[in-house]
Amino acid sequence: MTSELPVGARIRYWRRHNGNRSQAAIAGLCGITEDYLGQIERGRKAPSLDVLVALAREIGVPVAALLDHQAPTDEPAPQITAPDVASVLMGYRSASHAPASPAPATLRERVEAAWRTWQTSQNRFTESARILPDLLTDVEHAVRTHRAGTDPVARRETLRTAADLYGLLRSYCRRTGRIDLSLLVADRALRAAEDADDPLRIAGAQWNLGHVLLAQDEPEGAEQVATLAAEQIKEPETPDEHAMAGALELVAVTAQARRRNWWAARRRLERRALPKAKAAGEGNVGWTVFGPTNVDLHALSIEMLAGEAAEGLRCADRVDISSLPSLERQFTFLLDIARCYDLRKEDAAVLVHLLDLEQLAPEDVARSPLARRMLTDLRRRVRPTYRRQVEDLVDRIGLDEAPGLPDNPA
């Protein structure tokens, strides 16, 4: 990966890449102070040619590497999906349990518990990596068993459970950098839902597919999938039907905003998503967290993406996230607010919200490209008053080591 890095960032990259030597060690060998080198790396000072030559020599790279605008970034973004999860999904790991298949009710309880962990735990990546391999193995074993069995009720319930688990895996794989596996499980979710003949879960699987397409930077495809799926729920009657149709509308709204069709996104949000949210009420049908609050969160996201920071902050003032069942949606809300303040260069407010995000979900903030980008920019321009807090946050989240992964919610 390459990036238009300033010279200070390139110095920092190569210093850490080639032995991860301390600022103090390199500065001492180059005859400058550690503070001066720190200011160079943060972009607050420009090194003279003599200092640049000395730094290149001590770091062990040609001077050209420090001047090359296409130098590697600090964030190579490796894939971090747990190996055991990937192995089960790709068929490299077989079941290590007895051949007996767990009861459908037991599997349902385990999948719902896994979803609660994913939506509410501060350490959801670590906990999910521990839970998912065995759960996926058991669910897929149960699906194979009941497909060959004679109990249609058990078969249908197992397929529903499988569709729900694949929906969770879609989000997990996307958030951990495996868009290929995310697409794979989105397809499996759709097949399981169709085999179960469950219209709501079919719509939920298409909602999943829309999010995969958004993650692949294919907003046009995401909008088409979501629009067609919403049209299949032609006249929603129950709150659950309104919620699923509304969740699909939010995928289409996000896709329009990604395509910079700001007014179309605003209009669709108001005319198509909001009425369904009012009809459905607050809820978490299909783990979509759809309801009036989620619609308000998308209104904020549209303004943030459009660069309308003041309007975005006004939208945020109308939102109460305290009752949201998803920590991820709460995280996205605070992240969008931080970005609005970042657009206004209000550094103190950006720092406060980044610290709030770390308190809310430390594993998420470490993996969020937007949070990491804002912190990198803050590090370069922050006033001395806040510099130590910024550097401490950089160290805690591993800004220069941990990967950044997709930000779009759900």
Side-chain angles (χ1 to χ4, degrees), residues 347-360:
D347 291 349
V350 175
L351 177 58
V352 165
H353 282 83
L354 288 175
L355 291 171
D356 285 347
L357 286 165
E358 182 196 25
Q359 187 73 24
L360 177 69

Side-chain angles (χ1 to χ4, degrees), residues 33 63-64 102 184 203 302 333 345 353 355 397 406:
T33 67
V63 174
L184 171 70
I302 291 170
F333 171 69
K345 297 295 187 289
H353 282 83
L355 291 171
I397 72 169

Side-chain angles (χ1 to χ4, degrees), residues 108 156-157 159-161 163-164 189-206 244:
R108 162 61 51 196
R156 191 170 191 233
E157 181 56 27
L159 287 166
R160 285 171 164 173
T161 299
D164 291 348
L190 182 57
R191 292 187 183 188
E194 288 174 340
D195 287 349
D197 192 23
D198 189 316
L200 274 183
R201 282 183 169 83
I202 292 171
Q206 291 165 324
M244 190 56 71

Side-chain angles (χ1 to χ4, degrees), residues 300-344:
L300 164 59
S301 293
I302 291 170
E303 303 308 327
M304 183 273 292
L305 289 169
E308 298 291 344
E311 183 59 30
L313 293 173
R314 279 194 288 272
C315 291
D317 287 340
R318 302 194 299 265
V319 180
D320 177 8
I321 62 171
S322 60
S323 61
L324 276 178
S326 169
L327 178 146
E328 182 174 38
R329 292 304 301 152
Q330 297 177 34
F331 179 90
T332 302
F333 171 69
L334 292 176
L335 186 68
D336 285 350
I337 293 176
R339 176 55 179 157
C340 287
Y341 281 117
D342 184 55
L343 290 169
R344 293 159 63 98

Side-chain angles (χ1 to χ4, degrees), residues 146-202:
H146 288 295
R147 272 184 172 148
T150 58
D151 185 343
V153 175
R155 175 182 179 276
R156 191 170 191 233
E157 181 56 27
T158 301
L159 287 166
R160 285 171 164 173
T161 299
D164 291 348
L165 176 59
Y166 289 134
L168 189 161
L169 282 160
R170 185 277 306 168
S171 184
Y172 172 80
C173 290
R174 182 182 62 81
R175 288 284 181 177
T176 53
R178 290 299 300 267
I179 303 300
D180 56 334
L181 294 181
S182 189
L183 182 60
L184 171 70
V185 293
D187 179 68
R188 290 187 187 179
L190 182 57
R191 292 187 183 188
E194 288 174 340
D195 287 349
D197 192 23
D198 189 316
L200 274 183
R201 282 183 169 83
I202 292 171

Side-chain angles (χ1 to χ4, degrees), residues 91-380:
Y92 297 155
R93 171 180 149 173
S94 58
S96 58
H97 316 296
S101 176
T106 300
L107 287 179
R108 162 61 51 196
E109 290 174 1
R110 289 171 62 191
V111 169
E112 290 182 353
W115 259 113
R116 286 193 295 272
T117 295
W118 182 246
Q119 288 197 332
T120 64
S121 173
Q122 288 186 312
N123 302 304
R124 62 189 185 130
F125 291 92
T126 300
E127 293 184 34
S128 295
R130 176 177 54 81
I131 294 169
L132 288 174
D134 287 343
L135 179 55
L136 177 59
T137 298
D138 287 345
V139 167
E140 293 199 332
H141 178 57
V143 168
R144 288 191 293 270
T145 299
H146 288 295
R147 272 184 172 148
T150 58
D151 185 343
V153 175
R155 175 182 179 276
R156 191 170 191 233
E157 181 56 27
T158 301
L159 287 166
R160 285 171 164 173
T161 299
D164 291 348
L165 176 59
Y166 289 134
L168 189 161
L169 282 160
R170 185 277 306 168
S171 184
Y172 172 80
C173 290
R174 182 182 62 81
R175 288 284 181 177
T176 53
R178 290 299 300 267
I179 303 300
D180 56 334
L181 294 181
S182 189
L183 182 60
L184 171 70
V185 293
D187 179 68
R188 290 187 187 179
L190 182 57
R191 292 187 183 188
E194 288 174 340
D195 287 349
D197 192 23
D198 189 316
L200 274 183
R201 282 183 169 83
I202 292 171
Q206 291 165 324
W207 176 81
N208 276 314
L209 179 57
H211 278 289
V212 175
L213 293 171
L214 287 174
Q216 290 182 315
D217 197 24
E218 297 182 30
E220 186 172 355
E223 182 179 351
Q224 291 175 351
V225 166
T227 299
L228 289 172
E231 288 174 354
Q232 296 303 308
I233 311 176
K234 294 179 181 178
E235 296 181 2
E237 298 178 353
T238 68
D240 286 1
E241 289 173 343
H242 279 287
M244 190 56 71
L248 288 161
E249 291 293 347
L250 290 185
V251 172
V253 165
T254 301
Q256 289 176 328
R258 294 279 185 86
R259 297 168 64 194
R260 308 178 69 83
N261 292 335
W262 315 121
W263 287 109
R266 294 181 182 109
R267 188 165 52 250
R268 187 164 193 155
L269 189 73
E270 180 179 356
R271 296 180 181 178
R272 300 178 70 166
L274 184 57
K276 291 179 174 60
K278 291 177 177 178
E282 299 290 1
N284 197 13
V285 175
W287 310 97
T288 61
V289 200
F290 182 77
T293 301
N294 205 345
V295 170
D296 289 340
L297 298 187
H298 279 72
L300 164 59
S301 293
I302 291 170
E303 303 308 327
M304 183 273 292
L305 289 169
E308 298 291 344
E311 183 59 30
L313 293 173
R314 279 194 288 272
C315 291
D317 287 340
R318 302 194 299 265
V319 180
D320 177 8
I321 62 171
S322 60
S323 61
L324 276 178
S326 169
L327 178 146
E328 182 174 38
R329 292 304 301 152
Q330 297 177 34
F331 179 90
T332 302
F333 171 69
L334 292 176
L335 186 68
D336 285 350
I337 293 176
R339 176 55 179 157
C340 287
Y341 281 117
D342 184 55
L343 290 169
R344 293 159 63 98
K345 297 295 187 289
E346 296 186 26
D347 291 349
V350 175
L351 177 58
V352 165
H353 282 83
L354 288 175
L355 291 171
D356 285 347
L357 286 165
E358 182 196 25
Q359 187 73 24
L360 177 69
E363 290 193 347
D364 278 80
V365 77
R367 289 165 169 79
S368 164
L370 179 54
R372 294 165 67 83
R373 188 160 61 249
M374 285 191 289
L375 185 54
T376 297
D377 292 342
L378 194 61
R379 188 186 199 185
R380 291 170 184 162

